[in-house]
Amino acid sequence: MNDSGGNREKKQARRPSTERTAQRDPERTRAAILEAATREFAENGMGGARVDAIAERAGTNKRMLYHYFGDKEQLYLKVLEEAYVGIRTAERALHIGDRSPEEGIGELALFTWRYFLQHPEFLSLLGTENLHRARWLRQSIRLKELHSHLIGELSQVLEQGKKQGVFIETADPLHVYLTIASLGYFYLSNQYTLSTIFGRDLIEPAHLNAWERHIVHVTLASIKR
């Protein structure tokens, strides 16, 4: 008598299921889903991203995804929040207020540019959310708190520079950050079209280094006396 079917069932019964694995290590499962979702949303946007693809990338199933994050939209919002938490947390570690005003602003400019280079998925998520006019971002209270800290610390550095006679009185923290972020974001998000139009490979190390210096120079020049 052929008992291959029964043996196969026994093997499957002994094999731990995806759900049991997730229950034993929920934090690991959540992290895997979040990482997979970040890649999927960065590559395909909110509309093109598929829950099936996220679950497959994470090595889990859709039931676990819905269990931990609710639905696709809630997962997307969580991805956005974590992306911003990443950059804002790293910014805090700079302690720009502990440096001279010029060094603090220069360090923030360098950090932002290099972070953009190292995290292209962050720029992709920004592009996607802007296409949707920040529909999901507006729902997050957590992000507003994160950004208020950034502006607060930047304001302190600028005020110190004004007192020392280094920065102009009209230097505005939001304008300073927009200068830094826009110089980095535009360059990288349009690198392919700009490289093609102007016949220069903007992603070559020499060009990247030159633009890094340019960002620092322009930012400081815009606020120095």
Side-chain angles (χ1 to χ4, degrees):
M1 180 178 177
N2 191 339
D3 193 36
S4 60
N7 290 334
R8 185 164 55 249
E9 289 178 0
K10 291 177 182 179
K11 290 179 181 179
Q12 290 175 346
R14 288 195 299 266
R15 186 182 305 155
S17 69
T18 301
E19 292 186 26
R20 288 177 181 174
T21 302
Q23 290 170 359
R24 286 199 302 268
D25 197 348
E27 290 305 315
R28 183 177 179 180
T29 302
R30 282 174 57 88
I33 294 172
L34 198 59
E35 181 181 351
T38 299
R39 295 200 306 270
E40 180 71 12
F41 286 126
E43 292 173 10
N44 301 300
M46 176 58 184
R50 294 171 48 248
V51 172
D52 285 332
I54 294 170
E56 183 177 354
R57 283 179 183 237
T60 185
N61 56 51
K62 290 194 293 185
R63 177 180 292 183
M64 287 294 99
L65 188 150
Y66 294 136
H67 171 70
Y68 288 118
F69 296 99
D71 57 24
K72 178 180 172 182
E73 292 195 6
Q74 292 181 59
L75 176 57
Y76 173 69
L77 177 57
K78 184 64 175 178
V79 165
L80 277 179
E81 288 182 335
E82 290 304 310
Y84 274 107
V85 166
I87 188 170
R88 295 289 93 92
T89 300
E91 282 169 350
R92 288 193 183 199
L94 296 175
H95 299 292
I96 60 174
D98 296 339
R99 307 168 186 267
S100 72
E102 287 182 89
E103 288 177 343
I105 298 299
E107 189 64 25
L108 179 62
L110 285 174
F111 164 81
T112 303
W113 166 247
R114 292 170 182 174
Y115 193 92
F116 285 177
L117 277 174
Q118 296 165 7
H119 297 274
E121 76 284 353
F122 180 67
L123 301 185
S124 296
L125 291 170
L126 289 184
T128 292
E129 187 60 7
N130 274 292
L131 286 175
H132 293 284
R133 301 184 179 184
R135 172 183 170 185
W136 285 275
L137 204 59
R138 285 197 298 269
Q139 301 174 27
S140 177
I141 298 175
R142 184 184 185 191
L143 292 184
K144 293 176 184 177
E145 296 171 349
L146 287 170
H147 288 78
S148 64
H149 180 275
L150 167 67
I151 294 300
E153 188 172 24
L154 192 49
S155 296
Q156 292 176 6
V157 173
L158 292 176
E159 286 303 314
Q160 188 64 29
K162 292 173 185 179
K163 290 179 181 178
Q164 295 178 10
V166 177
F167 297 150
I168 58 177
E169 288 298 322
T170 55
D172 179 271
L174 179 58
H175 290 174
V176 171
Y177 186 75
L178 289 178
T179 299
I180 294 171
S182 60
L183 286 170
Y185 180 84
F186 182 84
Y187 187 104
L188 294 174
S189 63
N190 294 276
Q191 61 181 277
Y192 301 108
T193 53
L194 293 173
S195 295
T196 300
I197 291 170
F198 295 110
R200 180 184 297 184
D201 186 1
L202 296 181
I203 209 66
E204 284 185 356
H207 296 315
L208 293 176
N209 292 335
W211 192 252
E212 176 177 283
R213 294 191 295 272
H214 183 73
I215 292 174
V216 175
H217 171 75
V218 170
T219 302
L220 286 172
S222 69
I223 58 175
K224 287 181 67 175
R225 283 189 180 277

